[in-house]
Amino acid sequence: MHLNIRATGAGAGMLSHLLAKNPNNLYDRMEKEARVRIVFTASSEEEAEAVIYVTPDPIELVKGTSSAHIDITQYINDREFVVSSLFCTYIRSALGTALNGKPKEAYLQWVDQPLALELEFGPVASNLPDRSLEELFTALGYKVQLERGDAEYSFDLKSRSSVRYIRLKGKQTLQTALRQLFVLIPALDDYKHYYISDDEVDKIRRYGEGWLENHPQRGLILKRTLRFAGAIKQYEELTAREDNMQESLTLDSAPMEEIEEEPVTLAEATAAMEAAEAPKVRLNDLRYAAIADVVDGLAAKRSIVDFGSGEGKLSVRLSSVPGVSEIKAVEPSATAQMRALDRFAKLVGRPGVTAPEPVTGSLFYYDESLRSKDVMILCEVIEHIDEYRLGRVMDTIFHEYAPGTLIITTPNKEYNAVYELDQEEMRHGDHRFEWSREAFAVWCSRWTSAYKYSVQLSGIGEFTQEYGYPTQMAIFTKEDLL
């Protein structure tokens, strides 16, 4: 992971002074579990370039985590390779002088002087489409160039890498440019490695001062950096308080006759009303509700297998469906199961509720105890399986497990256009495939031809005439139950 800062033209020679780094020396320090190095590849009055390179220790990255004694999946990640919130944490100390705008007194005048800058960083693992990435930076006056890594896969996964390198070019003060990166890089990655506390809210306020409040993608940035509604609300309240204090000071110092109330336009009033509306229900919640409705309407629903149950949210939703007396929540990840256990424990003893039973298992390992259940559910599971392995899984389900009803949900690839994803991009980094409505229908008919099941197809989420629903659902029913 790296960040290149290049300055050209007038004032370029000030780059080393603003960074408080000797261009003739290698900066080499250990910062937490990472090695941070800074080297100048150019240093003159007309051109200067600093390369910041970080090498984390992948083992140290996971030491001391609460899940270390439970699961090994925390070792399988991209954190040691990609520019993310971790990267910003590692380099903050090295760039502290520039971020705070406090070089030696002789160079203070250059803190507020815009320089012709080129900023290049990566690799970035982002689920945002190219267009959204570009808009985050073009709104700040930068010219943006995106480059993708090579994706020479030996198997049919995807045609190009989702990893990108970002190059920005524009005129900006070094302090503001770095502060913008320290806010936007975590937003690009949409991953936070640490607890989001009051300090994080304060950091976004300080680093975002003077540019974030007017950014057209401000809502998206706050959502992906602060993550939680409480933190976002705290940020908004603090910002509004500061704005009110500033406005009060301005009014107190202005002559009365110069103070006029600005009219509110219809567009501004509409935007304010929309902002005050309750947030839309999440698609995941809609999936759970739709599946629960299907199960509720079944004649045979006493026993349920929730395959790939994750943290148990769907199993909990099904626990209160009348007529259900057994729920086996099957999940291979011990970490997810531990979280599910907490949810399930809260249901024990409640009247009219069936506490789910956690089962460690996988679709690739046959479990005789799961045979002949009334309902089997694969909610957003099949797209995480390689297509060439999926056939064996389905044969096992229909031939060996033979549930009365099989419910499958999976993303509708066509709907990705609504999310402004590139044609080749998928909604999640772990998806092995995503199917169009036609492809899903053809795949479902393959199993009704091979086994004595009928299928009903439907959709979940907000419907569009052109792309259908965001989630596809197939309900397979054993023919002897019809």
Side-chain angles (χ1 to χ4, degrees):
M1 53 181 82
H2 71 274
L3 166 64
N4 293 2
I5 305 172
R6 184 169 180 261
T8 57
M14 293 296 109
L15 182 63
S16 62
H17 299 296
L18 293 172
L19 292 172
K21 300 292 180 288
N22 188 329
N24 299 313
N25 296 336
L26 170 66
Y27 177 93
D28 193 344
R29 302 282 191 278
M30 287 302 299
E31 183 65 35
K32 298 183 179 178
E33 64 271 359
R35 184 180 181 184
V36 180
R37 286 168 283 186
I38 302 177
V39 62
F40 278 78
T41 57
S43 179
S44 69
E45 291 304 313
E46 293 298 318
E47 180 184 3
E49 182 176 41
V51 179
I52 305 159
Y53 190 76
V54 176
T55 310
D57 183 330
I59 302 301
E60 291 293 332
L61 277 173
V62 298
K63 275 189 176 179
T65 59
S66 59
S67 60
H69 65 289
I70 300 171
D71 206 344
I72 65 167
T73 54
Q74 72 269 28
Y75 289 93
I76 307 170
N77 58 66
D78 59 7
R79 295 301 93 188
E80 62 178 298
F81 307 110
V82 297
V83 168
S84 64
S85 58
L86 276 171
F87 177 76
C88 295
T89 299
Y90 296 144
I91 66 174
R92 183 175 291 118
S93 177
L95 301 183
T97 299
L99 280 166
N100 296 322
K102 294 182 178 180
K104 290 183 179 179
E105 189 173 352
Y107 310 109
L108 275 174
Q109 59 180 322
W110 288 95
V111 170
D112 296 324
Q113 291 293 322
L115 304 175
L117 295 175
E118 290 185 30
L119 308 167
E120 193 265 331
F121 58 94
V124 172
S126 179
N127 57 4
L128 290 174
D130 289 352
R131 178 182 170 186
S132 296
L133 285 179
E134 291 171 354
E135 288 175 348
L136 287 173
F137 293 101
T138 54
L140 300 173
Y142 293 108
K143 292 182 179 179
V144 183
Q145 181 181 347
L146 303 179
E147 295 179 4
R148 288 182 179 267
D150 294 331
E152 297 180 357
Y153 299 110
S154 59
F155 48 90
D156 186 17
L157 178 61
K158 52 185 177 180
S159 59
R160 61 174 181 168
S161 171
S162 59
V163 170
R164 281 154 284 185
Y165 295 84
I166 300 177
R167 181 175 286 109
L168 310 175
K169 189 174 183 180
K171 201 153 189 181
Q172 185 58 273
T173 69
L174 179 64
Q175 181 187 29
T176 299
L178 289 176
R179 288 187 167 193
Q180 289 168 343
L181 292 184
F182 270 66
V183 172
L184 293 178
I185 284 176
L188 298 179
D189 189 63
D190 195 26
Y191 172 98
K192 280 296 182 69
H193 70 282
Y194 48 80
Y195 174 72
I196 299 175
S197 63
D198 293 348
D199 291 340
E200 182 72 3
V201 175
D202 185 61
K203 186 193 78 176
I204 300 298
R205 284 176 50 244
R206 287 187 293 109
Y207 288 176
E209 185 179 2
W211 64 272
L212 181 55
E213 58 267 27
N214 297 317
H215 198 291
Q217 302 294 329
R218 177 174 174 273
L220 174 68
I221 294 168
L222 292 178
K223 181 179 179 181
R224 291 172 69 95
T225 51
L226 297 178
R227 302 299 292 273
F228 303 112
I232 295 173
K233 182 179 179 181
Q234 182 181 355
Y235 172 89
E236 300 284 15
E237 289 175 348
L238 288 171
T239 303
R241 193 180 306 157
E242 289 180 351
D243 290 344
N244 290 337
M245 289 177 64
Q246 185 62 40
E247 182 181 354
S248 177
L249 290 172
T250 303
L251 293 178
D252 288 344
S253 61
M256 289 301 294
E257 61 270 21
E258 295 180 6
I259 302 172
E260 296 182 3
E261 184 177 351
E262 294 187 4
V264 178
T265 65
L266 177 61
E268 289 171 338
T270 303
M273 289 174 64
E274 291 176 348
E277 289 180 358
K280 293 183 179 180
V281 179
R282 296 187 342 171
L283 180 57
N284 215 35
D285 295 328
L286 292 175
R287 289 191 200 103
Y288 296 161
I291 292 171
D293 285 346
V294 171
V295 172
D296 189 35
L298 296 175
K301 55 192 169 186
R302 186 190 67 80
S303 56
I304 297 176
V305 177
D306 180 9
F307 251 122
S309 57
E311 298 180 4
K313 295 179 181 179
L314 174 58
S315 294
V316 168
R317 183 67 181 261
L318 296 170
S319 67
S320 58
V321 174
V324 174
S325 59
E326 179 190 38
I327 302 173
K328 290 185 178 291
V330 185
E331 171 60 37
S333 168
T335 302
Q337 252 191 2
M338 290 296 289
R339 293 171 180 160
L341 277 170
D342 290 337
R343 286 191 169 91
F344 299 163
K346 296 174 182 177
L347 301 178
V348 176
R350 289 191 183 182
V353 173
T354 300
E357 174 193 349
V359 177
T360 300
S362 164
L363 284 165
F364 297 104
Y365 300 99
Y366 176 68
D367 184 344
E368 189 173 358
S369 69
L370 306 181
R371 289 190 63 183
S372 302
K373 300 301 181 183
D374 293 322
V375 184
M376 183 170 283
I377 301 168
L378 276 68
C379 177
E380 306 299 290
V381 170
I382 63 171
E383 63 273 10
H384 293 271
I385 302 172
D386 294 317
E387 281 192 71
Y388 73 90
R389 305 178 73 188
L390 190 54
R392 181 164 66 92
V393 167
M394 299 307 297
D395 279 324
T396 300
I397 289 176
F398 285 113
H399 181 66
E400 300 292 343
Y401 290 135
T405 301
L406 172 66
I407 302 171
I408 296 177
T409 70
T410 192
N412 169 18
K413 181 180 180 179
E414 298 165 68
Y415 204 89
N416 290 353
V418 178
Y419 298 136
E420 299 184 348
L421 294 178
D422 290 347
Q423 188 174 0
E424 300 85 355
E425 288 186 287
M426 301 190 203
R427 296 186 203 173
H428 190 278
D430 189 53
H431 286 183
R432 305 299 198 264
F433 63 86
E434 289 176 359
W435 285 331
S436 66
R437 287 170 288 177
E438 181 181 359
F440 185 53
V442 170
W443 180 81
C444 289
S445 66
R446 169 185 171 185
W447 305 111
T448 57
S449 300
Y451 295 96
K452 294 182 178 180
Y453 281 81
S454 63
V455 67
Q456 176 186 349
L457 300 178
S458 61
I460 302 170
E462 187 173 350
F463 177 78
T464 67
Q465 194 66 41
E466 185 175 0
Y467 303 114
Y469 295 93
T471 293
Q472 310 185 76
M473 179 163 63
I475 305 169
F476 293 89
T477 305
K478 218 172 185 180
E479 289 186 350
D480 57 11
L481 296 178
L482 296 175

